[in-house]
Amino acid sequence: MTVYVDDVRHSFGRMVMCHMWADTRGELLAMALRIGVSHRWIQEPPNASWVHFDISLRKKALAIKAGAVLTDKYGPVEHTARLRGDQAKLDQIARIRAEQPKERLL
């Protein structure tokens, strides 16, 4: 089981945010507690596509230091496709990644 953070950068006021999610809700909430993110900020259906937190880049660094895996911008789509068993979407993501030049994440 794993916690993930992506390399997206969304502005929220003066902060820059990314996403944090996990294979299980329990693991996600444990990481949130560990890095100081209030559970009240959890995003989940029907208001979000998947269960996750929007976290600041400072919290992202803490999560990575605590063992979270850094993914690219397709990580959340890949995660939801896995949950749904959508092999066609997983194949599409793999093709897109293979066609892109390797970029440094962070």
Short mmCIF file of all heavy atoms in Angstrom, two decimals, residues 51-74:
data_model
loop_
_atom_site.label_atom_id
_atom_site.label_comp_id
_atom_site.label_asym_id
_atom_site.label_seq_id
_atom_site.Cartn_x
_atom_site.Cartn_y
_atom_site.Cartn_z
N VAL A 51 -10.81 10.08 -3.77
CA VAL A 51 -10.49 10.50 -2.41
C VAL A 51 -9.04 10.99 -2.38
O VAL A 51 -8.12 10.24 -2.71
CB VAL A 51 -10.69 9.33 -1.42
CG1 VAL A 51 -10.32 9.76 -0.01
CG2 VAL A 51 -12.13 8.82 -1.46
N HIS A 52 -8.86 12.25 -1.98
CA HIS A 52 -7.53 12.84 -1.95
C HIS A 52 -7.52 14.11 -1.11
O HIS A 52 -8.57 14.57 -0.68
CB HIS A 52 -7.05 13.16 -3.37
CG HIS A 52 -7.78 14.31 -4.01
ND1 HIS A 52 -9.04 14.19 -4.54
CD2 HIS A 52 -7.41 15.60 -4.19
CE1 HIS A 52 -9.42 15.36 -5.03
NE2 HIS A 52 -8.45 16.23 -4.82
N PHE A 53 -6.34 14.64 -0.91
CA PHE A 53 -6.16 15.96 -0.32
C PHE A 53 -5.47 16.85 -1.34
O PHE A 53 -4.62 16.37 -2.10
CB PHE A 53 -5.25 15.90 0.92
CG PHE A 53 -5.90 15.33 2.14
CD1 PHE A 53 -5.76 14.00 2.46
CD2 PHE A 53 -6.65 16.14 2.99
CE1 PHE A 53 -6.34 13.47 3.60
CE2 PHE A 53 -7.24 15.64 4.13
CZ PHE A 53 -7.09 14.30 4.44
N ASP A 54 -5.82 18.12 -1.34
CA ASP A 54 -5.02 19.13 -2.02
C ASP A 54 -4.05 19.64 -0.96
O ASP A 54 -4.48 20.07 0.11
CB ASP A 54 -5.90 20.28 -2.52
CG ASP A 54 -6.86 19.84 -3.62
OD1 ASP A 54 -6.59 18.82 -4.28
OD2 ASP A 54 -7.88 20.53 -3.81
N ILE A 55 -2.76 19.54 -1.24
CA ILE A 55 -1.76 19.93 -0.25
C ILE A 55 -0.78 20.94 -0.84
O ILE A 55 -0.56 20.97 -2.05
CB ILE A 55 -0.99 18.71 0.31
CG1 ILE A 55 -0.23 17.96 -0.78
CG2 ILE A 55 -1.94 17.79 1.07
CD1 ILE A 55 0.72 16.88 -0.27
N SER A 56 -0.19 21.74 0.03
CA SER A 56 0.81 22.73 -0.40
C SER A 56 2.12 22.03 -0.77
O SER A 56 2.35 20.87 -0.39
CB SER A 56 1.06 23.74 0.72
OG SER A 56 1.74 23.10 1.79
N LEU A 57 2.97 22.74 -1.47
CA LEU A 57 4.26 22.17 -1.83
C LEU A 57 5.11 21.87 -0.60
O LEU A 57 5.90 20.92 -0.60
CB LEU A 57 5.01 23.11 -2.79
CG LEU A 57 4.34 23.33 -4.14
CD1 LEU A 57 5.22 24.21 -5.02
CD2 LEU A 57 4.02 22.03 -4.84
N ARG A 58 4.94 22.63 0.46
CA ARG A 58 5.66 22.36 1.72
C ARG A 58 5.21 21.03 2.30
O ARG A 58 6.03 20.22 2.73
CB ARG A 58 5.43 23.50 2.71
CG ARG A 58 6.26 23.37 3.98
CD ARG A 58 6.16 24.59 4.86
NE ARG A 58 4.84 24.78 5.43
CZ ARG A 58 4.38 24.14 6.51
NH1 ARG A 58 5.13 23.26 7.12
NH2 ARG A 58 3.18 24.40 6.98
N LYS A 59 3.90 20.79 2.29
CA LYS A 59 3.38 19.52 2.79
C LYS A 59 3.77 18.37 1.86
O LYS A 59 4.02 17.25 2.30
CB LYS A 59 1.86 19.57 2.96
CG LYS A 59 1.38 20.59 3.97
CD LYS A 59 1.83 20.25 5.36
CE LYS A 59 1.23 21.23 6.36
NZ LYS A 59 1.66 20.97 7.74
N LYS A 60 3.84 18.65 0.57
CA LYS A 60 4.28 17.65 -0.39
C LYS A 60 5.69 17.17 -0.05
O LYS A 60 5.98 15.97 -0.06
CB LYS A 60 4.25 18.23 -1.80
CG LYS A 60 4.83 17.34 -2.88
CD LYS A 60 4.82 18.08 -4.21
CE LYS A 60 5.49 17.34 -5.31
NZ LYS A 60 5.43 18.06 -6.58
N ALA A 61 6.58 18.13 0.24
CA ALA A 61 7.95 17.78 0.60
C ALA A 61 7.98 16.91 1.86
O ALA A 61 8.74 15.93 1.94
CB ALA A 61 8.78 19.04 0.80
N LEU A 62 7.14 17.23 2.82
CA LEU A 62 7.05 16.42 4.04
C LEU A 62 6.54 15.01 3.73
O LEU A 62 7.03 14.03 4.28
CB LEU A 62 6.13 17.09 5.07
CG LEU A 62 6.64 18.38 5.70
CD1 LEU A 62 5.56 18.99 6.58
CD2 LEU A 62 7.92 18.13 6.48
N ALA A 63 5.54 14.93 2.86
CA ALA A 63 4.98 13.63 2.49
C ALA A 63 6.03 12.77 1.79
O ALA A 63 6.16 11.57 2.10
CB ALA A 63 3.76 13.81 1.60
N ILE A 64 6.79 13.35 0.88
CA ILE A 64 7.84 12.60 0.19
C ILE A 64 8.89 12.13 1.19
O ILE A 64 9.33 10.98 1.16
CB ILE A 64 8.46 13.44 -0.95
CG1 ILE A 64 7.42 13.63 -2.07
CG2 ILE A 64 9.73 12.79 -1.48
CD1 ILE A 64 7.83 14.64 -3.12
N LYS A 65 9.26 13.01 2.10
CA LYS A 65 10.23 12.64 3.13
C LYS A 65 9.71 11.50 4.00
O LYS A 65 10.47 10.66 4.47
CB LYS A 65 10.55 13.87 3.99
CG LYS A 65 11.71 13.70 4.92
CD LYS A 65 12.06 15.02 5.58
CE LYS A 65 13.30 14.85 6.41
NZ LYS A 65 13.71 16.11 7.03
N ALA A 66 8.38 11.44 4.17
CA ALA A 66 7.74 10.39 4.98
C ALA A 66 7.45 9.13 4.16
O ALA A 66 6.86 8.19 4.69
CB ALA A 66 6.46 10.93 5.60
N GLY A 67 7.83 9.12 2.88
CA GLY A 67 7.69 7.90 2.09
C GLY A 67 6.68 7.93 0.96
O GLY A 67 6.50 6.92 0.28
N ALA A 68 6.02 9.05 0.73
CA ALA A 68 5.08 9.13 -0.38
C ALA A 68 5.83 9.01 -1.70
O ALA A 68 6.98 9.43 -1.82
CB ALA A 68 4.30 10.45 -0.34
N VAL A 69 5.15 8.46 -2.69
CA VAL A 69 5.73 8.26 -4.02
C VAL A 69 5.32 9.41 -4.92
O VAL A 69 4.13 9.73 -5.03
CB VAL A 69 5.25 6.92 -4.62
CG1 VAL A 69 5.71 6.76 -6.05
CG2 VAL A 69 5.73 5.76 -3.75
N LEU A 70 6.28 10.03 -5.57
CA LEU A 70 6.02 11.13 -6.49
C LEU A 70 5.60 10.58 -7.85
O LEU A 70 6.25 9.69 -8.39
CB LEU A 70 7.27 11.99 -6.64
CG LEU A 70 7.16 13.19 -7.56
CD1 LEU A 70 6.11 14.18 -7.05
CD2 LEU A 70 8.52 13.87 -7.67
N THR A 71 4.50 11.10 -8.39
CA THR A 71 4.03 10.70 -9.71
C THR A 71 3.91 11.93 -10.60
O THR A 71 4.01 13.06 -10.13
CB THR A 71 2.64 10.01 -9.65
OG1 THR A 71 1.65 10.99 -9.37
CG2 THR A 71 2.60 8.92 -8.62
N ASP A 72 3.63 11.68 -11.86
CA ASP A 72 3.40 12.77 -12.79
C ASP A 72 1.93 13.19 -12.76
O ASP A 72 1.15 12.71 -11.94
CB ASP A 72 3.84 12.37 -14.21
CG ASP A 72 3.08 11.17 -14.75
OD1 ASP A 72 2.03 10.78 -14.19
OD2 ASP A 72 3.55 10.60 -15.76
N LYS A 73 1.57 14.07 -13.67
CA LYS A 73 0.20 14.59 -13.68
C LYS A 73 -0.84 13.52 -14.02
O LYS A 73 -2.03 13.73 -13.80
CB LYS A 73 0.09 15.76 -14.65
CG LYS A 73 0.32 15.39 -16.10
CD LYS A 73 0.28 16.61 -16.98
CE LYS A 73 0.58 16.28 -18.42
NZ LYS A 73 0.61 17.48 -19.25
N TYR A 74 -0.40 12.39 -14.56
CA TYR A 74 -1.33 11.32 -14.90
C TYR A 74 -1.58 10.36 -13.73
O TYR A 74 -2.41 9.47 -13.83
CB TYR A 74 -0.82 10.54 -16.11
CG TYR A 74 -0.65 11.42 -17.32
CD1 TYR A 74 0.61 11.76 -17.78
CD2 TYR A 74 -1.75 11.93 -17.99
CE1 TYR A 74 0.78 12.58 -18.87
CE2 TYR A 74 -1.59 12.77 -19.09
CZ TYR A 74 -0.33 13.08 -19.52
OH TYR A 74 -0.17 13.91 -20.61
#
